Amino acid sequence: MPAPIRLRELIRTIRTARTQAEEREMIQKECAAIRSSFREEDNTYRCRNVAKLLYMHMLGYPAHFGQLECLKLIASQKFTDKRIGYLGAMLLLDERQDVHLLMTNCIKNDLNHSTQYVQGLALCTLGCMGSSEMCRDLAGEVEKLLKTSNSYLRKKAALCAVHVIRKVPELMEMFLPATKNLLSEKNHGVLHTSVVLLTEMCERSPDMLAHFRKNEKLVPQLVRILKNLIMSGYSPEHDVSGISDPFLQVRILRLLRILGKSDDDSSEAMNDILAQVATNTETSKNVGNAILYETVLTIMDIKSESGLRVLAINILGRFLLNNDKNIRYVALTSLLKTVQTDHNAVQRHRSTIVDCLKDLDVSIKRRAMELSFALVNGNNIRGMMKELLYFLDSCDPEFKADCASGVFLAAEKYAPSKRWHIDTIMRVLTTAGSYVRDDSVPNLIQLITNSVEMHAYTVQRLYKALLDDISQQPLVQVASWCIGEYGDLLVSGQCEEEEPIQVTEDEVLDVLEGLLVSNLSTPVTRGYSLTAIMKLSTRFSSVNRIKKVVSIYGSSIDVELQQRAVEYNALFKKYDHMRPALLERMPIMEKSASNGPTEIVQTNGETEPSVVEPKHLPPVTQPVNQANDLLDLLGGNDVVPVIQNTMPTKPASAGGELLDLLGDLSLSAIPPMTAYNKNGLKIDFTFERANPNPNIAVITIHASNSTEADMTDFVFQAAVPKTFQLQLLSPSSNVVPALNQGTVTQVIRVLNPQKQQLRMRIKLTYTLKGSPVQDLAEVNNFPPQSWQ
Amino acid sequence: MMHFLLLFSRQGKLRLQKWFTPVTDREKKKVIRDMMMLVLARPPRSCNFLHYRDLKIVYRRYASLYFCTGLENQDNELLGLEVLHRYVELLDKYFGNVCELDIIFNFEKAYYILDEFLMGGEVLETSKVAVSVSMEEADTLQETMEEYMSKPAY
């Protein structure tokens, strides 16, 4: 058989292929030749064939049939074979392959080879992709090589040890003795890899960290090495643009960071060298800035004195003005990390940061936006908001949603006046109206409702905005809701804040009807506008027109609209006496959930309005002849009229106050369970999910008593494991009536952020027929849906 | 640590792939595809850093080749750029004015040089001279054809 073609020849041939198909044909032909050569156990050309196989593998073709051949090459005595064999092993034989473990013996032999380059190959392969089993088997060899005086082998052994520790952390201890004098080496390769090894050990084990701090006096050693690097003259071997071994400097700074974190003594010992590096490093090239960057990160993380911290932030400030984009990006990222702890210092650079909003680079703009929001406070809100709104206008669509949310949050926290707040919201809705999150609509509505003195102004501005543009749904929804509520103010021209506009009832109704028929309106929006029109029937005088509109939609194809229209029709016909009461002005709503990260409300067993025990309003789907029930419920102060239920019935995701009521009617379907049943006392648990925080499970206990006598002084207590938090609200009573004549209910709220299995220990005390009874029980049978 | 190092051309041809964590073949292909897509789409004077899953991607273009690496969150991106640059310098020293063709036709040498410079995702040797010396000496160990034929196999 003729000698197989050489590697370079094959590469040249394949590159001449003009189409994918031609290339595939060549490859297949060559693979067939290679396969038969492998079958013939040809020792001479195995190496060449595997090399060709590796090339074809890089092009994307399968090469698994070469795996065993790599093993044979590794076992060969020839260096050329070993080199290709180990390369093939690293490319084809990752730890998922069965044959991976077969390498162990070869590697073990090669680790003890007489030629250091063979040992190097073995260390490299083990250190790049050795499996946990291999690491366990060969850790001893690696540890031996870590103590050799041959620096070529020592540095490779160090990184190999790092890999072993990453794969099998328990083996860390065995490398400890060998690390004793690693740092007294002169060879930079060994120094660098030793620092990496020490870093890995300190990061993984607090005990190791403590050991290195106290016993080994690592910090002074590192400081000394770093000092030598900075002070020593030009060393051609390690020089990069005038800086001596930047790789080693950065790794040392990183290890110092770990050693100095939360430790006063260590931080004290490194203060000087950090100041020295920070002030003396040349900043004209990237390499100097890389070192400065690492220094800044270290200063911010350890317990440095305030002068040093200010120095660090100023360096970041200078970075922000650098021409190099990478440096600006890195500065913004670091400032974002430090803005919580060193807020005032970062504030000083606010104007530069805001300028970065106008940068052309997408990565920089995003960082600048995040940082700008973090810097907004009560003092700078007006100025910052101007810039941020300008940014919102001109930025790419990918930013708009986040920016809009950020603006709403910031406005909510720091708005200097209600008018400013509403103006800001208007601005966001009109410029980025289609990008705002769905839950902003109810939040905005609630905000508007609560700003009583601004109603006229708000409705006027919203009306004017509608005249301009009806394509942005959130804007349209908020506007229709407001017009429905405050249309009377609009028509009577009562606005104080600005020039009132002259608008007639018909014009308003034209606009709302326009929304109903427009193709731009989503079904949800149509729902809003139909309801708004209906509400105006008690505020406007042109009731007939409204009646006509409502009756038309009674036969709409959209089921939601049809349903609403039919019910409103019924309201006109049979229940007209109730219409004014039902459609009257909305009361001020309590705000219990905010838009951002939800807080757990810490109350002392007081029931919060409408969130924990919502007054269950009958869902709209029930026929309106339940109107009597509605009237009863309308007696309360903070009960929202049933019209609220005609709000978009989207599943209450992170909904605001309004949708919370519907949330409890949603299909939560967590089955109830019996938690305790003994001596006539039965305790059932029923579940609800508290919206908007799905980590809170709301459990209502129902205690019933089947004995002949009442259970008095009934007290229910509960305890949960440490990872949970529990809040127990007041019980409905402390007498459980006999013979199941009634139940005592009490609400428990459990916060379960880690979504662990819910367990509870309960303690019950009561008095039955004069004698006190006490019992403890464990509740373990919670249905999975209650905590998942 | 670095999770991977990729070299690819503007036309989307892979020239070198080094993986420092165990990854399935399918996953490798996905990452390579994603990297090419993200990096090749960047406008010429952008920042050299971007985000992908939980990694920081550092990339730089040298003539017709893109050098692209994935770093962990606590790694220093600016130093990552220096690492890429050092590798290019090493290739340049070895091949003498290296170009893409050198790496295509001598890909195994490119890997050997890489293995003298990096290991397990970390920098192994910070001296350019030391890496060159190791490569030279290891190359001399590679047998000539006669030596190869006359040596026993196992």
Side-chain angles (χ1 to χ4, degrees):
Chain A
M1 204 189 133
I5 68 169
R6 306 185 120 112
L7 171 64
R8 312 269 180 283
E9 196 59 49
L10 176 69
I11 298 179
R12 206 168 291 130
T13 314
I14 291 180
R15 281 169 63 78
T16 63
R18 271 160 301 170
T19 64
Q20 186 74 343
E22 217 181 308
E23 181 185 281
R24 212 174 310 135
E25 208 186 298
M26 292 179 190
I27 302 256
Q28 271 170 359
K29 196 164 138 233
E30 185 57 37
C31 276
I34 293 179
R35 259 193 283 249
S36 38
S37 181
F38 284 162
R39 260 198 304 274
E40 288 166 19
E41 294 284 351
D42 182 337
N43 288 333
T44 321
Y45 295 112
R46 180 176 290 122
C47 148
R48 184 185 287 185
N49 284 327
V50 168
K52 287 187 285 187
L53 200 55
L54 292 180
Y55 177 73
M56 296 189 287
H57 176 250
M58 185 143 63
L59 292 180
Y61 295 92
H64 46 273
F65 56 91
Q67 286 170 1
L68 265 176
E69 303 300 312
C70 292
L71 283 182
K72 293 181 195 162
L73 284 174
I74 292 174
S76 156
Q77 288 207 13
K78 305 173 198 176
F79 185 71
T80 316
D81 283 353
K82 281 191 192 287
R83 233 183 174 187
I84 288 279
Y86 275 116
L87 178 61
M90 282 196 274
L91 288 176
L92 302 179
L93 276 178
D94 64 45
E95 55 186 57
R96 284 156 221 275
Q97 312 298 336
D98 303 321
V99 291
H100 181 86
L101 257 177
L102 296 175
M103 277 199 287
T104 313
N105 212 29
C106 286
I107 294 187
K108 185 166 192 173
N109 292 335
D110 282 342
L111 282 175
N112 292 308
H113 203 275
S114 49
T115 313
Q116 71 176 23
Y117 291 104
V118 174
Q119 290 173 292
L121 285 175
L123 280 168
C124 180
T125 308
L126 181 59
C128 277
M129 39 85 80
S131 63
S132 322
E133 291 89 17
M134 270 170 74
C135 288
R136 256 185 249 272
D137 287 338
L138 300 171
E141 307 291 330
V142 175
E143 198 260 343
K144 223 167 48 189
L145 288 171
L146 195 50
K147 298 194 276 217
T148 172
S149 53
N150 179 332
S151 43
Y152 177 81
L153 290 177
R154 215 169 179 201
K155 73 188 184 199
K156 291 205 173 195
L159 283 189
C160 202
V162 170
H163 178 84
V164 169
I165 292 175
R166 281 179 183 155
K167 281 300 210 191
V168 192
E170 304 91 68
L171 291 175
M172 202 188 320
E173 292 282 329
M174 81 184 278
F175 293 109
L176 187 52
T179 62
K180 266 206 177 323
N181 50 7
L182 274 178
L183 289 186
S184 38
E185 265 269 5
K186 291 275 180 275
N187 180 298
H188 279 225
V190 178
L191 273 178
H192 185 276
T193 56
S194 307
V195 171
V196 174
L197 176 58
L198 291 167
T199 308
E200 189 69 29
M201 291 168 116
C202 290
E203 270 177 345
R204 275 185 189 268
S205 157
D207 293 331
M208 283 284 183
L209 180 58
H211 168 79
F212 281 121
R213 267 187 193 138
K214 289 203 254 307
N215 307 347
E216 301 289 342
K217 307 255 183 275
L218 204 46
V219 175
Q221 288 187 59
L222 292 170
V223 168
R224 183 184 42 86
I225 299 174
L226 193 50
K227 203 171 207 142
N228 279 337
L229 285 173
I230 303 173
M231 307 296 263
S232 67
Y234 175 73
S235 153
E237 204 182 334
H238 301 110
D239 180 272
V240 180
S241 305
I243 297 186
S244 189
D245 208 339
F247 302 103
L248 183 56
Q249 288 194 35
V250 166
R251 276 328 289 235
I252 290 181
L253 286 164
R254 191 160 144 185
L255 182 51
L256 284 175
R257 179 154 82 240
I258 296 171
L259 290 168
K261 194 170 183 144
S262 327
D263 189 85
D264 289 319
D265 291 330
S266 305
S267 303
E268 168 97 34
M270 55 180 85
N271 251 317
D272 285 344
I273 192 70
L274 289 175
Q276 208 178 346
V277 175
T279 41
N280 288 344
T281 309
E282 183 65 45
T283 59
S284 53
K285 293 271 177 73
N286 180 63
V287 61
N289 289 318
I291 295 179
L292 274 181
Y293 176 40
E294 196 75 30
T295 313
V296 164
L297 289 178
T298 301
I299 293 176
M300 300 314 290
D301 239 10
I302 65 173
K303 294 185 155 235
S304 44
E305 47 181 47
S306 60
L308 204 51
R309 290 182 93 84
V310 170
L311 181 60
I313 302 239
N314 288 345
I315 292 178
L316 290 179
R318 276 207 308 277
F319 273 7
L320 278 179
L321 300 167
N322 197 307
N323 283 331
D324 188 336
K325 283 201 174 36
N326 296 330
I327 306 225
R328 290 211 297 277
Y329 177 86
V330 147
L332 288 169
T333 311
S334 318
L335 284 171
L336 197 54
K337 281 193 222 152
T338 64
V339 74
Q340 303 302 333
T341 45
D342 292 84
H343 192 88
N344 292 330
V346 181
Q347 280 284 358
R348 257 176 251 138
H349 300 278
R350 195 178 68 239
S351 51
T352 324
I353 293 170
V354 166
D355 280 339
C356 287
L357 285 173
K358 307 192 181 88
D359 200 300
L360 296 167
D361 186 288
V362 160
S363 313
I364 291 185
K365 272 204 275 227
R366 178 162 285 283
R367 284 279 179 261
M369 179 182 83
E370 287 166 7
L371 195 48
S372 302
F373 279 120
L375 286 177
V376 170
N377 63 24
N379 294 330
N380 57 34
I381 177 77
R382 284 190 192 264
M384 287 296 274
M385 201 48 89
K386 220 164 66 182
E387 297 284 346
L388 288 165
L389 285 173
Y390 179 73
F391 175 70
L392 184 61
D393 270 339
S394 52
C395 69
D396 300 325
E398 61 186 287
F399 290 115
K400 287 207 198 246
D402 291 329
C403 191
S405 307
V407 167
F408 284 148
L409 262 175
E412 212 174 290
K413 275 206 251 178
Y414 300 112
S417 73
K418 288 226 163 107
R419 159 133 188 208
W420 181 95
H421 196 169
I422 290 187
D423 280 341
T424 305
I425 292 174
M426 288 291 311
R427 179 85 184 270
V428 174
L429 286 178
T430 47
T431 53
S434 17
Y435 297 98
V436 301
R437 289 216 310 263
D438 294 336
D439 57 1
S440 358
V441 171
N443 283 334
L444 295 176
I445 289 178
Q446 193 235 7
L447 176 69
I448 293 171
T449 314
N450 291 352
S451 324
V452 179
E453 64 279 13
M454 304 294 304
H455 285 168
Y457 172 69
T458 312
V459 69
Q460 182 163 294
R461 288 212 55 190
L462 284 168
Y463 179 75
K464 284 201 275 197
L466 267 192
L467 290 177
D468 275 332
D469 173 22
I470 60 169
S471 65
Q472 304 193 88
Q473 299 305 296
L475 172 63
V476 174
Q477 286 166 11
V478 176
S480 348
W481 190 93
C482 284
I483 295 176
E485 272 298 297
Y486 311 121
D488 48 327
L489 299 176
L490 184 61
V491 170
S492 62
Q494 279 180 18
C495 184
E496 284 170 1
E497 303 278 343
E498 61 175 25
E499 188 67 36
I501 58 174
Q502 308 297 330
V503 62
T504 65
E505 291 182 3
D506 276 321
E507 285 171 335
V508 173
L509 287 170
D510 282 341
V511 168
L512 286 176
E513 281 189 52
L515 293 176
L516 274 174
V517 300
S518 164
N519 283 334
L520 295 168
S521 301
T522 60
V524 166
T525 307
R526 292 206 177 95
Y528 269 94
S529 45
L530 185 60
T531 304
I533 293 177
M534 185 59 189
K535 284 196 220 172
L536 290 175
S537 70
T538 51
R539 294 157 174 77
F540 282 3
S541 49
S542 33
V543 181
N544 285 328
R545 177 173 174 180
I546 294 178
K547 270 194 198 167
K548 241 197 310 202
V549 172
V550 166
S551 67
I552 292 175
Y553 279 89
S555 41
S556 159
I557 302 179
D558 182 328
V559 175
E560 173 70 28
L561 279 184
Q562 188 191 104
Q563 185 177 311
R564 291 184 187 210
V566 163
E567 288 172 12
Y568 296 157
N569 248 337
L571 211 49
F572 273 126
K573 296 211 171 69
K574 286 207 276 175
Y575 300 98
D576 206 43
H577 53 286
M578 278 203 283
R579 192 164 47 86
L582 275 171
L583 302 177
E584 71 180 7
R585 187 83 93 226
M586 210 63 83
I588 295 188
M589 289 173 240
E590 296 278 344
K591 194 166 174 57
S592 70
S594 65
N595 205 1
T598 19
E599 314 108 27
I600 319 301
V601 185
Q602 298 296 336
T603 59
N604 299 332
E606 299 302 315
T607 329
E608 299 153 23
S610 349
V611 175
V612 176
E613 284 163 338
K615 303 192 175 27
H616 282 272
L617 300 173
V620 179
T621 44
Q622 287 178 14
V624 188
N625 59 14
Q626 287 218 339
N628 291 328
D629 300 330
L630 300 179
L631 261 189
D632 290 341
L633 293 167
L634 285 178
N637 248 355
D638 50 1
V639 172
V640 182
V642 75
I643 293 300
Q644 258 345 89
N645 279 352
T646 65
M647 278 308 175
T649 51
K650 281 191 261 188
S653 46
E657 181 72 351
L658 302 174
L659 297 182
D660 254 344
L661 299 167
L662 285 180
D664 296 311
L665 304 170
S666 67
L667 335 129
S668 43
I670 305 177
M673 57 177 266
T674 303
Y676 177 92
N677 193 351
K678 226 160 103 176
N679 300 332
L681 177 61
K682 179 156 169 275
I683 303 201
D684 289 340
F685 282 3
T686 58
F687 300 91
E688 285 145 14
R689 273 252 174 268
N691 281 314
N693 188 344
N695 287 336
I696 300 184
V698 179
I699 307 175
T700 307
I701 70 152
H702 307 263
S704 55
N705 169 9
S706 61
T707 68
E708 289 168 305
D710 289 356
M711 292 174 176
T712 55
D713 300 318
F714 174 76
V715 175
F716 172 90
Q717 288 166 296
V720 288
K722 267 194 281 224
T723 50
F724 302 88
Q725 277 180 48
L726 187 75
Q727 184 189 11
L728 207 50
L729 282 74
S730 315
S732 61
S733 118
N734 54 8
V735 175
V736 191
L739 297 170
N740 294 328
Q741 282 169 18
T743 59
V744 166
T745 58
Q746 192 168 6
V747 174
I748 312 174
R749 284 158 61 104
V750 181
L751 174 66
N752 182 6
Q754 296 178 22
K755 297 239 183 273
Q756 293 196 355
Q757 178 171 9
L758 189 50
R759 288 183 351 253
M760 200 182 273
R761 192 167 280 167
I762 59 177
K763 179 169 169 191
L764 307 154
T765 47
Y766 54 91
T767 307
L768 182 62
K769 293 184 195 160
S771 32
V773 181
Q774 189 177 295
D775 199 4
L776 283 170
E778 277 238 35
V779 184
N780 284 326
N781 53 334
F782 284 96
Q785 301 99 305
S786 63
W787 45 271
Q788 270 166 356
Chain B
M1 64 176 268
M2 291 166 61
H3 278 224
F4 57 81
L5 175 65
L6 303 173
L7 266 67
F8 49 86
S9 71
R10 253 215 91 67
Q11 286 74 40
K13 289 255 192 241
L14 189 67
R15 298 302 179 200
L16 187 141
Q17 54 175 326
K18 186 78 185 179
W19 302 87
F20 296 109
T21 56
V23 181
T24 60
D25 272 340
R26 172 186 257 165
E27 190 58 30
K28 282 183 193 165
K29 288 200 161 73
K30 176 158 202 325
V31 172
I32 293 171
R33 233 186 2 250
D34 289 344
M35 284 299 105
M36 290 192 187
M37 202 172 60
L38 287 172
V39 168
L40 294 174
R42 300 273 282 187
R45 262 172 294 279
S46 337
C47 179
N48 294 90
F49 311 130
L50 45 96
H51 268 276
Y52 175 71
R53 299 187 184 171
D54 59 338
L55 295 175
K56 298 197 249 208
I57 305 296
V58 178
Y59 74 93
R60 189 171 238 163
R61 181 175 175 186
Y62 288 89
S64 56
L65 273 183
Y66 282 91
F67 287 65
C68 170
T69 176
L71 302 177
E72 285 180 343
N73 247 321
Q74 64 266 39
D75 292 328
N76 184 327
E77 304 94 307
L78 297 179
L79 197 72
L81 280 174
E82 291 300 317
V83 169
L84 292 178
H85 191 73
R86 171 58 65 92
Y87 183 47
V88 172
E89 285 180 326
L90 292 171
L91 290 170
D92 193 64
K93 183 133 197 277
Y94 184 81
F95 289 110
N97 268 333
V98 68
C99 62
E100 190 182 343
L101 276 180
D102 290 319
I103 301 184
I104 294 172
F105 280 94
N106 300 287
F107 68 93
E108 82 276 13
K109 294 281 168 44
Y111 276 105
Y112 298 154
I113 296 172
L114 188 62
D115 288 338
E116 292 298 321
F117 174 46
L118 302 174
M119 191 207 277
E122 306 281 358
V123 170
L124 169 66
E125 176 57 66
T126 59
S127 155
K128 277 189 277 199
V129 168
V131 175
S132 307
V133 164
S134 313
M135 279 303 291
E136 270 171 42
E137 294 189 1
D139 282 347
T140 60
L141 282 184
Q142 284 206 208
E143 298 86 354
T144 63
M145 208 50 193
E146 297 144 353
E147 288 173 340
Y148 191 86
M149 299 304 261
S150 61
K151 254 194 189 169
Y154 297 109

